[in-house]
Amino acid sequence: ASGPRTAGKESEQPVSNTKHLKRTVRLVGEELEVSETFALYLTTRLANPRFKPWVFADLTVVDFNMTFAGLSEHMLRALVRLHEPEVD
């Protein structure tokens, strides 16, 4: 019984057909169709925002939170790599 699931004996069409799925985004209660290249970036000033589990399942969450010490170390490594590539 491999292959796509069917809705019933009377219908041989698959329940989900990825060829005809539309990419949609729901904003302010309205569902909008978007292109394959659509990207939405959201930012927050919250130090530790809390998201529901489905957010992590459906979206890519990137935490750019960095301490001053971490930023200093990163910049120092980038500077050394630029001026002294053999040290890296």
Side-chain angles (χ1 to χ4, degrees):
S2 63
R5 292 180 23 217
T6 57
K9 288 184 177 180
E10 65 279 353
S11 171
E12 293 299 318
Q13 296 292 342
V15 172
S16 64
N17 187 345
T18 56
K19 289 182 183 178
H20 301 293
L21 288 179
K22 295 179 183 175
R23 289 180 50 124
T24 58
V25 174
R26 184 179 300 266
L27 292 173
V28 194
E30 187 175 341
E31 198 162 302
L32 306 169
E33 189 173 337
V34 295
S35 71
E36 289 288 324
T37 59
F38 176 80
L40 177 66
Y41 299 92
L42 302 174
T43 61
T44 181
R45 291 179 185 239
L46 298 174
N48 188 17
R50 295 177 187 224
F51 298 107
K52 296 189 183 277
W54 68 264
V55 172
F56 293 100
D58 291 347
L59 306 173
T60 301
V61 177
V62 179
D63 183 4
F64 287 107
N65 191 13
M66 186 179 280
T67 64
F68 182 76
L71 179 60
S72 296
E73 184 179 325
H74 178 75
M75 294 303 293
L76 180 59
R77 272 188 271 132
L79 187 62
V80 169
R81 192 177 306 126
L82 179 66
H83 290 287
E84 303 289 334
E86 66 276 357
V87 173
D88 194 29

